[in-house]
């Protein structure tokens, strides 16, 4: 008998972590970090013994899917890892960056606790760079899409292109119950077939059980062309009005999409004269990896890359890896586009730029990605009049744009169309979504596929 227990991304969006048990063989699909208002959950016990996990499959390298993998190692995981090559490379820079942030936060908390006489109450970092290094000494199988890997005599895994970010995959685990072949699929995060810089998802043939994300299960995105137009208008209007554009952007995929758009605007002479700052060392490293794997890009972007024309660069773009370079952006009074992390405004350099510019009605903030409940980005989007940044109340006068057509996540129509492409589809389990969105998605699945869907609860084991 095969079972699955979800220890994250169950009735919530982040912390993806699902344990598949087949005949006492334990296969963990993702081990992500909780974000937003759930950060304390990262320090809680996993709910399972990392030492017993035989295999870890990573669907992609977003922090909410890989962010606790080094903690797994810290707590005794010594199994084998499976992912695409791009995911392995991207996860390394993401986890190393996370380890450095955790170390800095720990030092700050210790200093504050010492002043209060409470040093012993500070939790040690979730993991360190040494744990990340240890992770990369372990057996790691990198699979091309469609290549099958035998885990045991009766268990194999195959990765398919999920079309979410570079290297993203859905995982197909084939096994046998007695003489009967069975397949369970974990979608990871799915992308839309309408994407800017990578190809859309592949369609599997069948699944006896499907665990599917539902981040945007309650809605359909704006058409991509409409979102591109809206983005261009927001940028042009703000720059021509003497303002600056702030773009809180995720280091993976979203930043590269924005850079590609600005590259195209520059080439087509649509972009007003300005200074564009990529103020994210992590995004700069990630962009280099996108140039490393042009075969995984869409045809237009791939042709640009292999033709020697960097699709993510143009003459007005400056990367600012050093802190002093970042601070120097404050001297630019107008005509700047500032792309910085974090994408949900939970920390990082975007916080400083928001503090400096959010109060000015000439400026604009463009949110090109999902904002989790409890984050500063979500509060700004929800219309907060004031927000607190580094202890200071800042009035929100900048114009705020949300452009969800850039989402790396499939919308309701995309996900239902993906499921309709299955020749055979058995049980459906909903993960990686907020409760109210999954309720709506469940109803939409029933209306279109005439199938019920189970909303997975954290820590509850389900039989396949």
């Amino acid at each position: 008998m095969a079972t699955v227990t979800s220890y994250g991304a169950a009735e919530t969006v982040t912390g993806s972590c699902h344990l598949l048990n087949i005949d006492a063989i334990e296969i963990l699909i993702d081990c992500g970090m909780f974000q937003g208002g759930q950060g304390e959950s990262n320090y809680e016990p996993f709910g399972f013994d990392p030492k017993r996990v035989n295999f870890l499959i990573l669907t992609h390298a977003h922090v909410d899917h890989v962010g606790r993998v080094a903690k797994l190692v810290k707590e005794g995981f010594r199994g084998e890892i499976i992912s695409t090559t791009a995911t392995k490379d991207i996860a390394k820079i993401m986890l190393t960056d996370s380890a450095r942030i955790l170390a800095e936060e720990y030092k700050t908390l210790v200093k504050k606790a010492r002043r209060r006489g409470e040093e012993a109450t500070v939790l040690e970092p979730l993991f360190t760079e040494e744990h990340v290094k240890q992770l990369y000494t372990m057996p790691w199988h990198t699979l091309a899409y469609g290549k099958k890997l035998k885990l045991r005599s009766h268990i194999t895994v195959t990765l398919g292109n999920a079309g979410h970010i570079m290297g993203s995959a859905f995982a197909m685990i084939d096994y046998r119950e007695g003489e009967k072949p069975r397949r369970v699929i974990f979608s990871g995060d799915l992308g839309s077939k309408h994407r800017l810089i990578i190809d859309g998802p592949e369609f599997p043939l069948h699944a006896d059980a499907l665990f599917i994300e539902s981040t945007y299960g309650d809605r359909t995105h704006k058409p991509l062309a409409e979102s591109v137009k809206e983005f261009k208008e927001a940028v042009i209007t703000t720059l021509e009005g003497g303002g600056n554009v702030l773009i809180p952007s995720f280091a993976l995929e979203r930043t590269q999409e924005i850079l590609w758009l600005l590259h195209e605007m520059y080439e087509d002479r649509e972009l007003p004269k300005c200074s564009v700052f990529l103020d994210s060392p992590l995004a700069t490293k990630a962009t280099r990896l996108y140039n490393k794997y042009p075969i995984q890009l869409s045809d237009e972007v791939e042709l640009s890359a292999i033709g020697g024309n960097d699709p993510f660069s143009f003459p007005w773009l400056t990367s600012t890896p050093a802190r002093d370079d970042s601070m120097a952006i404050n001297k630019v009074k107008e005509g700047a586009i500032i792309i910085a992390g974090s994408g949900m405004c939970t920390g990082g350099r975007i916080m400083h730029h928001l503090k400096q510019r959010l109060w000015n009605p000439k400026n604009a903030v463009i949110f090109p990605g999902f904002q989790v409940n409890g984050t500063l980005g979500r509060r700004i989007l929800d219309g907060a009049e004031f927000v607190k940044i580094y202890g200071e109340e800042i009035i929100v006068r900048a114009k705020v744009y949300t452009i969800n057509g850039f989402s790396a996540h499939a919308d309701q129509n995309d996900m239902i169309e993906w499921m309709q492409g299955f020749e055979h589809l058995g049980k459906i389990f909903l993960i990686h979504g907020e409760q109210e969105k999954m309720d709506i998605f469940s109803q939409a699945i029933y209306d279109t596929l005439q199938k019920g869907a189970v909303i997975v609860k954290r820590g509850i084991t389900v039989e396949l």
Side-chain angles (χ1 to χ4, degrees):
M1 179 186 297
T3 64
V4 172
T5 311
S6 293
Y7 295 96
E11 298 181 298
T12 188
V13 174
T14 61
S16 190
C17 186
H18 313 282
L19 186 62
L20 169 63
N21 190 306
I22 303 174
D23 299 333
I25 304 300
E26 295 194 357
I27 304 168
L28 193 64
I29 295 86
D30 290 335
C31 191
M33 194 173 285
F34 291 96
Q35 296 172 298
Q38 304 176 75
E40 292 182 359
S41 296
N42 294 313
Y43 290 87
E44 296 175 357
F46 281 111
F48 57 89
D49 184 356
K51 296 176 184 176
R52 294 178 57 86
V53 175
N54 303 101
F55 300 96
L56 169 64
I57 300 172
L58 300 179
T59 62
H60 65 287
H62 273 146
V63 170
D64 63 325
H65 288 256
V66 301
R68 288 186 293 160
V69 172
K71 183 190 176 189
L72 268 184
V73 173
K74 178 181 177 182
E75 297 192 11
F77 169 69
R78 297 296 182 269
E80 300 176 43
I81 307 164
I82 302 155
S83 75
T84 64
T85 303
T87 292
K88 180 181 180 181
D89 286 352
I90 296 170
K92 188 172 186 177
I93 65 171
M94 298 297 286
L95 290 169
T96 301
D97 182 72
S98 293
R100 290 172 181 168
I101 292 171
L102 289 166
E104 290 172 5
E105 289 177 347
Y106 177 71
K107 289 178 183 177
T108 300
L109 290 172
V110 167
K111 287 179 183 178
K112 291 181 178 179
R114 281 175 180 167
R115 292 196 290 266
R116 298 191 307 268
E118 300 174 355
E119 183 178 355
T121 64
V122 179
L123 293 172
E124 66 177 23
L126 199 64
F127 56 85
T128 67
E129 286 190 63
E130 287 304 312
H131 296 118
V132 177
K133 291 176 183 177
Q134 187 176 354
L135 172 68
Y136 278 81
T137 66
M138 297 170 66
W140 198 312
H141 306 277
T142 53
L143 299 184
Y145 295 133
K147 182 180 178 182
K148 186 175 292 187
L149 175 69
K150 182 179 288 188
L151 307 185
R152 292 290 188 269
S153 61
H154 65 305
I155 306 173
T156 63
V157 62
T158 311
L159 302 180
N161 184 5
H164 177 59
I165 64 169
M166 176 172 282
S168 64
F170 54 85
M172 298 178 283
I173 297 98
D174 291 288
Y175 61 100
R176 302 190 74 84
E177 283 188 348
E179 296 301 313
K180 188 175 183 180
R182 306 281 293 174
R183 170 179 285 180
V184 57
I185 293 180
F186 291 84
S187 72
D189 286 349
L190 293 172
S192 168
K193 62 183 178 182
H194 305 292
R195 298 299 307 280
L196 277 171
I197 62 173
I198 64 171
D199 295 323
E202 298 172 344
F203 287 74
L205 293 177
H206 70 276
D208 298 291
L210 169 66
F211 287 76
I212 185 169
E213 67 121 326
S214 45
T215 310
Y216 286 111
D218 65 330
R219 71 187 75 177
T220 56
H221 297 319
K222 293 179 183 177
L224 180 59
E226 184 179 327
S227 293
V228 169
K229 180 181 178 183
E230 185 179 352
F231 174 82
K232 290 181 177 180
E233 288 176 351
V235 168
I236 293 169
T237 300
T238 303
L239 293 176
E240 290 182 344
N244 304 283
V245 179
L246 306 182
I247 306 177
S249 188
F250 301 101
L252 291 179
E253 196 71 19
R254 196 56 38 78
T255 289
Q256 290 74 40
E257 288 179 326
I258 296 300
L259 291 175
W260 167 249
L261 271 179
L262 293 174
H263 169 100
E264 291 292 276
M265 290 176 70
Y266 173 84
E267 292 288 329
D268 296 339
R269 300 188 178 184
E270 293 180 284
L271 187 64
K273 179 65 178 177
C274 63
S275 299
V276 182
F277 298 98
L278 178 54
D279 193 28
S280 169
L282 180 60
T284 300
K285 293 175 184 176
T287 302
R288 292 194 196 108
L289 289 177
Y290 270 65
N291 278 313
K292 183 179 177 180
Y293 297 106
I295 191 66
Q296 294 209 16
L297 302 173
S298 63
D299 291 346
E300 184 180 5
V301 185
E302 180 185 356
L303 283 173
S304 177
I306 63 179
N309 182 16
D310 186 343
F312 308 115
S313 185
F314 49 97
W316 297 347
L317 174 66
T318 302
S319 295
T320 53
R323 191 175 298 274
D324 288 346
D325 295 333
S326 175
M327 297 301 290
I329 299 173
N330 292 338
K331 299 176 183 178
V332 180
K333 301 304 179 185
E334 62 180 68
I337 300 174
I338 305 165
I339 308 165
S342 68
M344 296 186 195
C345 307
T346 54
R349 295 183 178 183
I350 193 64
M351 303 291 284
H352 296 280
H353 299 302
L354 289 170
K355 184 176 180 179
Q356 293 290 327
R357 304 179 191 269
L358 194 57
W359 57 270
N360 190 335
K362 287 187 176 182
N363 296 334
V365 183
I366 299 177
F367 287 100
F370 183 75
Q371 305 297 308
V372 169
N373 280 325
T375 62
L376 175 62
R378 185 64 168 259
R379 290 195 295 276
I380 294 173
L381 272 185
D382 287 345
E385 185 179 358
F386 289 87
V387 293
K388 185 173 285 188
I389 303 177
Y390 296 129
E392 183 177 344
E393 291 283 346
I394 308 293
I395 193 168
V396 181
R397 286 185 174 150
K399 190 163 185 183
V400 177
Y401 297 87
T402 176
I403 305 179
N404 71 11
F406 289 158
S407 177
H409 286 272
D411 64 15
Q412 184 188 101
N413 288 345
D414 293 322
M415 290 185 286
I416 287 177
E417 182 180 344
W418 190 70
M419 287 186 283
Q420 286 174 326
F422 285 59
E423 293 177 3
H424 165 71
L425 179 57
K427 297 178 181 179
I428 301 172
F429 299 91
L430 303 187
I431 54 175
H432 206 281
E434 295 168 345
Q435 177 68 49
E436 63 273 17
K437 300 181 190 302
M438 290 194 286
D439 288 336
I440 295 170
F441 189 34
S442 178
Q443 185 61 50
I445 291 171
Y446 184 80
D447 291 343
T448 55
L449 302 178
Q450 287 74 55
K451 294 182 70 69
V454 176
I455 296 175
V456 174
K457 297 185 181 297
R458 186 175 175 183
I460 303 299
T461 298
V462 296
E463 295 182 3
L464 303 186

